[in-house]
Amino acid sequence: MQELLNTVTLGSIYLLFALGMALAWSTIGILNFAHGAIFVFAAFSAHFISEQVALPMPVLILISILVGAVLSALTQWLAFEQILKRSTNHRSAELRVLIGGIGVAAIPIAIVDKATASAPFGFSNSTYKTEVYEFLGLRMTNTSLIVIVTGVGIAVALTLWLRASRQGLGLRAIGVDSETASLMGVNRTAMAIGTMAIAGGLAGLAGSLQVFQLQAMGVGTGDQLLIKAFAMIVLGGLGSMAGVILGAFALAGAETLIFAANLGTWVDAVSFGLIFIVLLLRPQGIFGRQEVRRT
Amino acid sequence: MIAWYTTNAVVLQATMTTLLLALSIQLPLRMGVFSFAGVGCFGIGGYTAAILYAKFDVDTWTAVALGTLLAGLLCYLLGLIIHKLSGLYLGMATVAFTLIIAVVATNGGSLTGGASGIFGALGGITNLHVFLLLALVIVGLAISEYGRFGRRIDTVREDPELASALGINVARYRKLVFLASGLIGGLAGAVTTLLRSTITPAEINFHMVVMALTVIIIGGSSSWLGALIGAIVITWLPTVLGFVADWEAIIYGFLVALAAIFLPSGVLGLAKNLIHRWRTRRGTAPDAATTPGGEPGAPEPERSLASTQGGTL
């Protein structure tokens, strides 16, 4: 039972991170490789400010969300939009967006690395205090309660918004055929920047929650999480938000089991192996309907 | 000259090994296969050579050869499995492959030395040896860039459907490029490890993928010459400009992002464009008045072909 609780907590953080990535990838077609760097940098910004003044938890989380959203929207506006404008075919644009993302990601990561001298950082100066509840023999902190409620709540809200709202319809239309969608009155550029801002905000939220949950964060966390999020999205099926939710909890469950079996150093192999198996056996993922394009 | 060489031998060595690694990523990219498996093969080649040399007393060149072959073989098997995947999916599968190699190396126990890696595998390799091996690889790659074979590879990259309509076995090309990339990556790993005497799992990480990609993107992905330009920029910039060393990662990040936006074919593509423009301007001016020797008139159609090729990438 305790393992199940840990799985849900870990899965909720994974979920928040992967949701933003999946949203941008499945609608505006941008696999943002800087997503992990935004996650780390947003959490670091909150840490940096909390070093100066002691702030309560909601303010720190808000700072992270804002920094993440601004950074992500800027990346979209200054890098990805420019690449899309300048490339002729879809395939080369995809690769250039990926490479551009890798380049952009190096910048905030290098700044954080320099500022922290590669040491993990945390919110030790925050006014937030962790409390432990005991319930039917289960140990649970107030942090993990917040993490679970936020993660699941936002995932459900985002799924419903994408399905039911008018903007959600517009976004999904861009995902199917961006040219026709813009003829139907969807403002693609504004939508794209807005989507990336939401994605970045979610990354920032995941970042600060992860720091509250684990007490500290290393600079390399972002890259690992990026590959894991890719595994979750591929497992669930690109284009399906329910798939991302399933993918996040499945991966978290598998990793918790590995830890419980005392095989901690193998934990990263799970997500990487999962990518392989899914891509080979069912490339469209569990809930994916559309075939992966093959050459 | 000799004094210059002795002071810069280490940087020269780094340039050559970086170039080898970059070439192993660039070759599949030239064929439209977005594979980072070369970095994983660097790890396989490096670990195999180091283990054979340090723990089984195999001599240097046998260790290098076995490391290279094993990396090539494993990369080919990987290619057999994943060559049908497209674009990003293939790219991420190869990143996963690379990171799995690092996890296996961490968990290899006494054979791979765990997280601290292998020490003391200093083989008898000199800079001349590296230079000769590099020259060999470059000659092979240069052959693949010219003539019929070069055009076939370009077609496989630009339009796989057209290529198979022309009778090119696209799947075979894509599988074989994994073998070639694995061999070059394995060679790079084996040589680098036995030169430096150590290898750790922490080296085979995402950072190395980024570095290899930086070299290719800055220089240009269409030719080995581009990788050479990129490798020189990456290894010599910190020695020429002192402040670069402090802000290395930030500057490379900017360079990669800028190159991805403005210079998709790298410095080499820019240079080719400028040369082409200069030539056509010089070529057309006397062409209208007097044509001495008829030399500028003849290669006209070839030039226009080159300009359209430069434009698509």
Side-chain angles (χ1 to χ4, degrees), chain A residues 5 7 37 61 94 173 212 226 228 238 240 246 250 257 263 285 289-290:
Chain A
L5 191 65
T7 300
I61 289 180
E94 213 172 39
F212 275 115
L226 194 75
K228 285 181 187 176
L238 180 62
S240 157
L246 179 91
L257 282 180
L263 294 165
R289 266 151 287 162
Q290 116 204 60

Side-chain angles (χ1 to χ4, degrees), chain A residues 132-252:
Chain A
V132 181
Y133 309 126
E134 296 242 5
F135 181 71
L136 295 175
L138 285 178
R139 288 167 52 82
M140 183 174 202
T141 60
N142 50 353
T143 323
S144 59
L145 194 67
I146 294 170
V147 168
I148 293 168
V149 170
T150 323
V152 175
I154 286 184
V156 171
L158 195 67
T159 311
L160 290 179
W161 175 76
L162 203 58
R163 243 180 233 174
S165 78
R166 218 173 145 68
Q167 284 106 322
L169 180 70
L171 259 184
R172 281 182 292 135
I174 293 176
V176 176
D177 185 339
S178 71
E179 243 168 84
T180 315
S182 58
L183 288 175
M184 299 291 137
V186 180
N187 185 347
R188 199 200 159 276
T189 316
M191 269 303 210
I193 291 180
T195 308
M196 288 296 280
I198 296 176
L202 287 173
L205 175 63
S208 52
L209 283 180
Q210 162 128 336
V211 178
F212 275 115
Q213 170 70 16
L214 301 179
Q215 315 293 344
M217 179 191 276
V219 188
T221 322
D223 288 338
Q224 284 167 10
L225 209 51
L226 194 75
I227 309 281
K228 285 181 187 176
F230 183 86
M232 295 166 212
I233 298 170
V234 169
L235 174 65
L238 180 62
S240 157
M241 287 293 146
V244 180
I245 299 175
L246 179 91
F249 288 117
L251 186 66

